[in-house]
Amino acid sequence: MKRPPFFVVLALALVASASTWFYMNRILRAQQIADAAAHGRPRGNLSDLYPRWLGARELLLRRRNPYSPEITREIQRGYYGRPLDPARADDPKDEQGFVYPAYVVFLLAPTVGLPFDVVQIGFRWLLPALAVASVVLWLRVLRWKVSFGTMFVMTVLMLGWLPMVQGIKLQQLSLLVAELLAGCGACVAGGWLSCAGMLLALATIKPQLTWPLVLWLVAWAVSDWRSRRNLVIGFALTMLLLLVGAELVLPGWPRMFFQAIGQYHRYTQNQSVLVWLFGVIVGRILEALSLLACAVCVWRVRREPATSAAFGRAIGLVLALTVVIVPMFAPYNQVLLAPAILALLWSESRRDPILPVIRLARTVGGILLAWPWVATMALSVAYLWLTPSLREKLWPMPFYSNFMMPVFVFGLALLDAWGPGPRNLREGAARE
């Protein structure tokens, strides 16, 4: 089949990405404001960065405990516009407490002396820049060499990808973590193992998003300790500095952190994607099976060099596993699916022979990936005819694939990594 001209592909990518931003700014936001007004829900700055920034400011400048109920109430005044009232049934359940390791304050330290409005503006520019950089970094990790035009289209789509746009709008630190992991992978691929270990340690500000990759990279390094030990040393030394530094500024913080985590899960009742889809019992079984299958798959390539395509695909597979087993299903966490999706696109572009059932599964996965863009374009076109009642019914459309897409990406990545084997992957990289 003849490929469409580049300018057609680029135009479609620009329209698709623009529709996501239009949907977020003009349709979803309008629905959220109307819903909040109807139920008396408070609306403040609604920036996910704010609780972390305020906690860091109060700890570093005033030596106040960011995990304390007093700081939580102050966070609510800024985030929601007023403290939450448990007596109000319609008030949000998320208390927006400081649910991060205390050493996150070191990353935010340069901003604590600035007004939050200034910090917000800087973050609004930083996150899209990181999104652009992530495309370049993940392609390097995967050893996929593409033309400048193809990379430009990928960048446009990344900037308009629903999980990325949601993360940028909410100013979510998950995007920063994803970029740190991309930088870690690129450093490993480039042979800068000490730097990779440092970036991996910094990414643990969200430990639930990083522990699977930490385990995999440590296993990979141990399998050839003499040449790869700098990765573990860089990680261990950086973690030691972060942990000791946090203990110096807030003695006893681990206990407070774990208590905050327990409270967070109680008032949010977060679940993994698999538990949400299949229930607690079946979901937990599938989580264990997914973890086991991924472990067996990456164990096969533990001796592969970081310059191999097999290594990059293993990172993508581990991050896809993270998205399906982590006990939260917010769409912005799906930015971690980027390397697995790129690896699948690369495999598809090579047109390797695959079983018809896998071809069908890839087609379904492609539809799930494209659905948010299809939905946002349709809603954007129909914007002038969206009455408040119609908008209330149709606004969830772009999120319909939110739960199934990570499952398909992980499953396809598992099949893709399991089937060809490391040798074939290296040969594929050489052909590219």
Side-chain angles (χ1 to χ4, degrees), residues 75-119:
I75 289 172
Q76 291 172 2
R77 288 190 186 97
Y79 187 89
Y80 289 119
R82 63 166 171 81
L84 297 181
D85 184 356
R88 296 186 180 219
D90 288 332
D91 264 14
K93 303 305 178 185
D94 190 345
E95 297 177 6
Q96 289 299 326
F98 189 86
V99 194
Y100 275 66
Y103 53 80
V104 71
V105 303
F106 300 135
L107 274 70
L108 297 174
T111 69
V112 296
L114 301 172
F116 185 66
D117 291 345
V118 175
V119 177

Side-chain angles (χ1 to χ4, degrees), residues 198-215:
M198 293 171 61
L199 293 176
L200 184 61
L202 292 175
T204 62
I205 58 171
K206 277 207 162 186
Q208 71 274 24
L209 298 184
T210 54
W211 70 263
L213 188 61
V214 170
L215 292 178

